[in-house]
Amino acid sequence: MVNVMNKIDLCKKCQNRKFDLKQGVICGLTDAKPAFEENCADFVADESVKEYKGLALRPNDQRGSIVITFIWIVLVMEVVTFFSSFLQYNLLQTAADGGEITLAQANANDFREQAVAFIYLLAYIVSGITFIMWFRRAYYNLHQKVGTLAYSDGWAAGSWFVPIVNLYRPFEIMKELYVETKNYLLKKED
């Protein structure tokens, strides 16, 4: 009898495969995990599927550390932005209450707001780029361990930039990354 993981491996190479967020890779004809005993009568080889097995894993821990660092920088910039906006609010409140504001104070406020916004935007963009680099590498490494996944590792990065597709595909890939990693670890535990 063929074990469930070998059935899933076969399904991953079939054109009829489908990915379900709760179950992982399933048969697109039955919308269920494979139920065949030895061979699937409906198997149609997907020639576009690449075999990744045998390739070395690429290190991803440094990218993960960089991503975490930049996420912390973005969070710190959120606090700095809040504080800078509070100072601007106080300046505007002073003007609204009839207080005197010098041109130097107004220029200093504008410069501070622009500098904070620029640094925040820069940190946000860099954190996004480093996250996508980590995400792609994690998906690539998962390909090495479990074989064929629903998408290529190129889609792990590219799906963020395709309009409309970027609303759901990165989530599907992250869900698959989670489900397949969990299945792999459970299989290894056996």
Side-chain angles (χ1 to χ4, degrees):
M1 185 167 156
V2 179
N3 72 32
V4 175
M5 291 311 291
N6 289 342
K7 290 179 182 180
I8 297 296
D9 287 340
L10 186 63
C11 290
K12 289 178 185 177
K13 298 172 188 170
C14 180
Q15 288 182 2
N16 297 321
R17 75 181 178 278
K18 190 171 156 185
F19 183 76
D20 179 70
L21 294 176
K22 293 184 178 163
Q23 302 177 67
V25 176
I26 60 173
C27 178
L29 302 174
T30 63
D31 285 335
K33 289 284 187 183
F36 58 88
E37 289 301 320
E38 292 295 324
N39 292 313
C40 178
D42 297 315
F43 178 79
V44 179
D46 187 351
E47 300 301 326
S48 68
V49 170
K50 297 178 188 173
E51 275 298 324
Y52 284 87
K53 289 199 182 230
L55 299 176
L57 293 179
R58 295 180 183 167
N60 207 19
D61 53 340
Q62 183 179 12
R63 288 182 182 191
S65 298
I66 293 169
V67 169
I68 291 169
T69 301
F70 271 101
I71 289 173
W72 278 109
I73 290 171
V74 168
L75 288 173
V76 167
M77 287 307 300
E78 287 282 349
V79 173
V80 171
T81 300
F82 176 78
F83 182 70
S84 180
S85 295
F86 179 74
L87 292 175
Q88 182 173 8
Y89 172 78
N90 283 341
L91 186 69
L92 294 173
Q93 195 62 41
T94 301
D97 292 342
E100 186 92 11
I101 297 176
T102 65
L103 185 59
Q105 287 176 315
N107 285 337
N109 178 70
D110 290 345
F111 178 76
R112 185 192 67 247
E113 281 289 309
Q114 289 174 357
V116 167
F118 177 76
I119 294 169
Y120 176 81
L121 180 64
L122 185 65
Y124 188 81
I125 290 170
V126 172
S127 70
I129 291 169
T130 55
F131 172 78
I132 292 170
M133 291 170 61
W134 169 85
F135 188 62
R136 179 179 181 167
R137 178 68 55 86
Y139 201 63
Y140 171 86
N141 285 341
L142 185 61
H143 268 286
Q144 310 313 307
K145 289 296 183 183
V146 301
T148 308
L149 298 172
Y151 306 101
S152 70
D153 60 301
W155 266 114
S159 63
W160 293 90
F161 302 102
V162 179
I164 308 301
V165 172
N166 64 5
L167 299 175
Y168 62 91
R169 182 70 48 86
F171 176 76
E172 288 176 347
I173 293 172
M174 181 59 90
K175 184 72 172 180
E176 185 179 28
L177 190 62
Y178 173 78
V179 169
E180 293 297 331
T181 300
K182 182 179 173 185
N183 290 342
Y184 176 76
L185 292 174
L186 289 173
K187 180 180 155 185
K188 283 295 182 188
E189 198 171 275
D190 291 341

